[in-house]
Amino acid sequence: MTEFSAKALNHIRKKFKGKKIAVIGDLMLDGYYWGDVKRISPEAPVPIVEIEDEFFRFGGAANVALNLLTLGAEPFPIGVIGNDLSGKIFLELMDKQGIRKEGIIRDKSRPTTVKTRVIAGKHHIVRIDRESKKYIDNSIKKKIIHALSNRIDELDAVIIQDYNKGVLSEELISDIISICNSKKKIITVDPKFDNFFEYKDVTVFKPNRKETEDALKIKLDSPEKISFAGDELIKNLNSKYLLLTLGEEGIALFEKDKPIRKVATKARKVADVSGAGDTVISTLTIALTAGANIAEAAYLANFAGGLVCEEIGIVPIDVDKLFTRLLAEL
């Protein structure tokens, strides 16, 4: 759908540097127990994983912020963590990465969202989640709005990253969009099922196939149904653009009163799709702030998402790897 010259790619890459982008949504911590299986437990028919390494990484909206950082931007995450040990680890990771913490709110009434994965060799054995999906109270909501309002003038864009973990209520979504639109900021959205239709009047709405199928109660099993779904969403939500991600089928790009455009996915050796959506929304948003048009931004985002699928576990996109691989495939 889109062709780049080396000159155009290098021009866009240079403009990634220093873009200020807020990420508002469900902040998470990803824990990993990595080891090997050599025997079955005598207590139950389950594998015994002998742990060789244990570590933590950013997940959810925090992983989006990390992707922005590794792409050259200055991320400003805004969200909630618990007043617990996991929250302490989360803040230590922020310090280590040099990510600003002013938008992080600690709420003693809820735990930090943690997803712990047990991996043996290249096999994902089990995931253990610790979280609260209860909506934040009004005092926390006001702190989120205050954090955004204080920084809105310096921002190039705002990403709303929703995982249905209780941070983004209908009222908060409306307030965030209103603030951003009043300042004419780029707003990109990665939704989940709850509040799917609350994201009106944004720049880009980026659902995946399953989210769209659940929201519209149709199966996207033909080009005609995909086209219908995109047209229906862009009309109902009044978004400037809609990017429907379709896994190995790539991305369907919709714009009002224009024909559907497709971004094909490169054939890759997929190791793990975890975190690919975070990479897509991060790359898409920074590309738009760097002056790429929507087709160029979608192409870059789709390419970046494919690259992180080659890695095991949730890892951010590396800007050098992204552009080196892009240039190699021109």
Side-chain angles (χ1 to χ4, degrees):
M1 184 183 77
T2 295
E3 292 185 4
F4 284 101
S5 67
K7 181 178 179 181
L9 273 176
N10 286 321
H11 178 70
I12 289 173
R13 176 181 178 170
K14 286 176 183 176
K15 295 185 76 175
F16 275 22
K17 189 69 176 176
K19 294 298 183 184
K20 294 181 170 64
I21 302 173
V23 184
I24 308 175
D26 299 297
L27 303 170
M28 303 183 200
L29 192 64
D30 285 336
Y32 291 85
Y33 290 101
W34 210 300
D36 197 10
V37 173
K38 297 177 181 176
R39 58 197 176 105
I40 301 298
S41 172
E43 302 167 359
V46 295
I48 295 175
V49 181
E50 299 179 8
I51 299 300
E52 298 170 1
D53 196 11
E54 176 185 354
F55 54 90
F56 292 93
R57 292 175 177 166
F58 287 128
N63 186 49
V64 175
L66 182 59
N67 272 271
L68 290 169
L69 182 73
T70 57
L71 285 167
E74 295 180 21
F76 181 50
I78 303 175
V80 181
I81 61 174
N83 189 22
D84 51 17
L85 177 59
S86 298
K88 182 174 181 288
I89 293 170
F90 185 93
L91 294 174
E92 288 172 351
L93 280 178
M94 292 192 76
D95 286 336
K96 184 177 179 181
Q97 295 292 346
I99 298 175
R100 292 163 64 173
K101 297 188 293 187
E102 303 100 296
I104 307 303
I105 300 150
R106 301 194 79 169
D107 183 352
K108 64 182 180 182
S109 73
R110 63 194 297 127
T112 302
T113 299
V114 184
K115 296 181 178 182
T116 304
R117 295 166 174 84
V118 180
I119 299 173
K122 293 185 178 181
H123 300 287
H124 191 154
I125 304 297
V126 69
R127 193 181 89 184
I128 305 158
D129 289 4
R130 183 170 184 262
E131 62 189 22
S132 170
K133 295 181 181 178
K134 179 180 69 175
Y135 277 119
I136 57 174
D137 63 31
N138 199 47
S139 66
I140 301 295
K141 181 207 144 198
K142 287 180 179 177
K143 289 179 181 179
I144 289 174
I145 291 298
H146 180 73
L148 175 62
S149 298
N150 270 0
R151 298 292 178 185
I152 191 65
D153 288 329
E154 71 183 56
L155 297 175
D156 295 291
V158 173
I159 299 172
I160 306 178
Q161 191 72 14
D162 196 352
Y163 294 91
N164 292 164
K165 303 301 182 187
V167 170
L168 292 162
S169 63
E170 292 181 19
E171 184 182 8
L172 183 55
I173 291 165
S174 177
D175 288 347
I176 292 168
I177 293 172
S178 178
I179 291 168
C180 294
N181 281 332
S182 72
K183 298 290 186 176
K184 295 181 169 53
K185 302 297 180 179
I186 292 170
I187 316 165
T188 60
V189 177
D190 201 348
K192 278 290 184 286
F193 181 75
D194 295 347
N195 302 316
F196 191 88
F197 291 103
E198 299 303 318
Y199 293 102
K200 294 180 169 65
D201 306 315
V202 301
T203 312
V204 184
F205 187 71
K206 189 203 74 67
N208 63 27
R209 184 196 294 271
K210 185 180 186 306
E211 291 155 358
T212 303
E213 289 179 335
D214 291 345
L216 295 180
K217 296 181 173 58
I218 62 171
K219 200 73 176 168
L220 301 184
D221 53 8
S222 71
E224 293 76 20
K225 288 183 180 178
I226 290 171
S227 183
F228 167 80
D231 290 340
E232 192 73 7
L233 289 178
I234 204 166
K235 178 179 70 177
N236 289 335
L237 294 171
N238 195 38
S239 60
K240 187 173 182 181
Y241 307 108
L242 182 130
L243 262 66
L244 177 51
T245 59
L246 300 166
E248 62 185 19
E249 294 177 42
I251 290 176
L253 170 59
F254 296 84
E255 186 176 355
K256 281 183 182 177
D257 302 320
K258 291 191 177 181
I260 182 174
R261 289 176 279 179
K262 294 287 187 71
V263 183
T265 296
K266 298 279 185 182
R268 299 194 184 282
K269 190 174 181 180
V270 176
D272 190 345
V273 300
S274 303
D278 299 342
T279 297
V280 169
I281 195 74
S282 305
T283 310
L284 174 80
T285 307
I286 193 172
L288 289 173
T289 68
N293 63 42
I294 188 62
E296 293 168 338
Y299 181 88
L300 289 169
N302 191 49
F303 196 97
L307 288 183
V308 298
C309 287
E310 296 177 346
E311 308 287 343
I312 295 176
I314 295 177
V315 295
I317 186 64
D318 177 79
V319 69
D320 292 329
K321 180 178 180 180
L322 172 60
F323 282 93
T324 298
R325 292 282 291 270
L326 277 165
L327 288 165
E329 295 192 22
L330 286 181

